Amino acid sequence: MKERFLEIGPDAEEKQEKRFNIWLSGGNIPFVDEKAKAAYQERVTMVKDAVQLKKKPLRVPICPSPAFFPAEYAGITPYDAMYDYDALVRAWQKFHDDFETDSYNGPGLIVPGKPLDILDFRLYKWPGRGVAKERGYQFAEAEYMKQDEYMDLIDDPTAFFLNVYFPRIFGIMEPFKAFPMLPAVNEIPLIPPTFAALGSDAMKGVFDKLYSAGQEILGWRAKVGKLGMHVMGSKGLPGLSGGFTKAPFDVIGDSLRGTKGVMLDMFRCPDELKEACERLTPLMIKGGAAGCRATGHLMPFIPLHKGADGFMSDEQFETFYWPTLKKVIIGLINEGMVPVLFAEGSYNQRLDVISDFPEGKVVWWFDRTDMARAKETVGKVACIMGNFPAALLCAASPDDVRAHCRKLMEIMSPGGGYIFSTGASLEEAKPENVKAMIETARKYGKI
């Protein structure tokens, strides 16, 4: 098979420009007046200039990551945010009324709890379901794929997810172990034995519950969508991201094999691990691009987990993690997208390797990476984002926050190519510290 996603295509820049123009237009956002529309377009242009590195932005865009902070600030629990959609909407409206950022940070990652209950979801614990109502998500890591199942995943990822993985992480989908192999239906005699499995009472029960979960999500989406249109249309705030995908290694290491499993696999079955990552690569590209197209955006969010310093050696990173992540990045760039790569933890050992891209094609969002070094390496070819420590927002004084924010901005703002954000999220932050951070970033964000 011909290898794909090895180089950036000649029309990638043209496609990116078209995607930026779609985002800049505002699409169906109901702007309350021309002032709001102008503010929206000014903010999109600031982000665009920061990303493309062609000219200096008006100033540094301020785009912190709130997570459950708006709920905490509004005096409701994370449980309330997941189960009371009206309370969720009020909390996020209050956040955007009281904190002047440059992006709409909607509650899209605050997943509604009722569908999770219906599905009997087991991959996470969430407020009121395994953790206290006052706390956020907790990943329930396990070996949801056994080591001897690699070839089943490689042969047919869709069948593996339907027949094996989903019944293990969604309790209601146990009957899907008998879900038919649809690609095998290529002649008329195969129709009865294939679709007979779908006629059982157990299978009907699954589809009834899937329908109920879908209906609940549509109700949540309607309220969250209305909130987004109102905030963006009245305040002129663009959403910073419009899609989601992952590094193939993280799909396996996070959700299928678990940390211990994937670490052992690098030694015990390295070829199968690498082949599985290759098999998942086009699916990750298609998923990230589809999410952006659905939202009229071009910046898919990609959280990076197991490629951080200390998890694996440089050799392992360049052997197992980076090759397929790089292909995902190239595949998305060739679709006109700008991947936003959230490098959780530290990436100080990876800076030279991840700088291997043409200018203005990706955003690297850093958590604990040395920003001066990042600016001297990655910053020559890519926009950099993030790095304000969440710990300071939770435990320090406003004066401490102002001092650190000023120092960070003095390093990163000269020349542009920087989007101000937190290294992690605002969860459990002191509101007075969040205000001090945003005000200081705006004060010292001139370029």
Side-chain angles (χ1 to χ4, degrees):
M1 181 184 294
K2 181 181 178 181
E3 280 206 75
R4 296 178 290 169
F5 318 121
L6 297 178
E7 57 185 33
I8 295 174
D11 58 348
E13 190 161 344
E14 180 183 352
K15 288 181 178 179
Q16 184 197 92
E17 196 66 32
K18 288 180 179 178
R19 298 300 307 174
F20 264 122
N21 288 336
I22 292 171
W23 186 30
L24 181 66
S25 73
N28 297 321
I29 298 173
F31 295 107
V32 295
D33 53 32
E34 288 301 314
K35 182 179 178 181
K37 184 175 183 179
Y40 171 93
Q41 293 181 332
E42 179 179 274
R43 288 177 167 121
V44 171
T45 301
M46 284 195 297
V47 173
K48 179 187 178 188
D49 291 342
V51 168
Q52 292 186 327
L53 306 178
K54 294 179 179 178
K55 55 184 178 180
K56 294 180 181 179
L58 179 65
R59 58 175 172 79
V60 173
I62 302 169
C63 306
S65 175
F68 278 108
F69 174 77
E72 298 161 355
Y73 177 67
I76 67 172
T77 65
Y79 175 87
D80 296 328
M82 292 182 68
Y83 285 87
D84 184 340
Y85 309 150
D86 292 327
L88 173 75
V89 167
R90 290 192 297 270
W92 258 256
Q93 180 67 59
K94 180 175 176 57
F95 171 77
H96 283 289
D97 285 343
D98 293 356
F99 298 93
E100 188 180 357
T101 65
D102 288 314
S103 62
Y104 170 59
N105 299 283
L109 295 180
I110 312 303
V111 178
K114 295 173 186 176
L116 302 182
D117 292 337
I118 294 170
L119 296 168
D120 187 15
F121 185 51
R122 299 169 179 177
L123 191 62
Y124 274 75
K125 297 177 181 179
W126 62 94
R129 302 293 187 270
V131 297
K133 292 182 178 181
E134 296 77 22
R135 295 291 176 262
Y137 304 128
Q138 178 64 53
F139 196 80
E141 187 171 286
E143 289 192 11
Y144 297 103
M145 182 181 86
K146 309 303 179 185
Q147 189 179 79
D148 61 4
E149 292 174 334
Y150 264 107
M151 291 314 300
D152 293 330
L153 172 67
I154 291 165
D155 288 344
D156 190 340
T158 300
F160 181 81
F161 272 70
L162 286 173
N163 296 132
V164 182
Y165 182 61
F166 284 175
R168 291 174 180 170
I169 68 165
F170 298 111
I172 69 159
M173 297 185 73
E174 180 76 14
F176 266 48
K177 290 179 178 179
F179 198 89
M181 183 183 293
L182 297 180
V185 185
N186 55 71
E187 284 286 357
I188 192 169
L190 298 170
I191 293 175
T194 299
F195 288 95
L198 301 179
S200 69
D201 289 340
M203 199 67 79
K204 180 179 183 300
V206 175
F207 283 111
D208 287 344
K209 289 179 180 178
L210 290 174
Y211 175 80
S212 296
Q215 285 290 297
E216 187 66 36
I217 290 170
L218 289 175
W220 166 82
R221 180 184 285 179
K223 293 192 175 186
V224 169
K226 184 178 180 181
L227 165 71
M229 288 294 104
H230 173 72
V231 173
M232 290 190 286
S234 61
K235 299 183 180 298
L237 295 177
L240 189 64
S241 180
F244 184 97
T245 191
K246 289 183 71 172
F249 187 96
D250 283 338
V251 175
I252 296 170
D254 292 348
S255 304
L256 297 178
R257 294 287 293 131
T259 301
K260 178 182 176 181
V262 81
M263 289 179 72
L264 292 173
D265 295 345
M266 288 193 288
F267 297 94
R268 294 180 176 177
C269 51
D271 292 338
E272 289 87 345
L273 173 56
K274 288 188 286 186
E275 188 174 354
C277 288
E278 293 285 353
R279 192 72 176 86
L280 292 172
T281 294
L283 302 180
M284 296 302 102
I285 295 169
K286 290 179 180 180
C292 286
R293 292 193 185 99
T295 57
H297 215 293
L298 77 160
M299 296 169 67
F301 175 64
I302 309 178
L304 305 179
H305 296 149
K306 292 181 166 58
D309 298 344
F311 182 85
M312 58 175 67
S313 69
D314 292 345
E315 181 182 356
Q316 288 168 332
F317 180 82
E318 294 183 42
T319 300
F320 294 101
Y321 197 90
W322 181 241
T324 49
L325 172 57
K326 185 177 181 181
K327 288 182 179 181
V328 169
I329 296 169
I330 291 173
L332 289 167
I333 291 172
N334 286 339
E335 294 292 330
M337 309 304 169
V338 177
V340 179
L341 298 126
F342 181 30
E344 298 187 33
S346 167
Y347 259 57
N348 291 318
Q349 296 172 216
R350 322 293 189 207
L351 293 175
D352 290 330
V353 174
I354 66 175
S355 298
D356 186 22
F357 288 103
E359 287 188 9
K361 297 294 186 291
V362 300
V363 175
W364 280 98
W365 181 354
F366 290 120
D367 177 11
R368 300 181 181 181
T369 299
D370 183 324
M371 294 297 269
R373 285 190 58 207
K375 188 176 178 68
E376 289 301 312
T377 51
V378 177
K380 292 181 179 180
V381 296
C383 175
I384 295 175
M385 179 174 170
N387 191 251
F388 193 91
L392 280 181
L393 296 171
C394 297
S397 69
D399 285 342
D400 292 333
V401 168
R402 293 186 188 98
H404 190 92
C405 187
R406 178 177 179 176
K407 181 179 179 181
L408 178 61
M409 294 298 277
E410 287 174 347
I411 294 171
M412 298 306 301
S413 63
Y418 177 59
I419 297 171
F420 179 85
S421 189
T422 42
S425 72
L426 299 177
E427 278 186 28
E428 302 185 25
K430 298 177 183 178
E432 62 269 26
N433 284 348
V434 176
K435 285 184 180 292
M437 178 189 71
I438 292 173
E439 290 169 358
T440 307
R442 191 172 300 279
K443 180 178 180 180
Y444 293 99
K446 299 176 182 178
I447 298 171

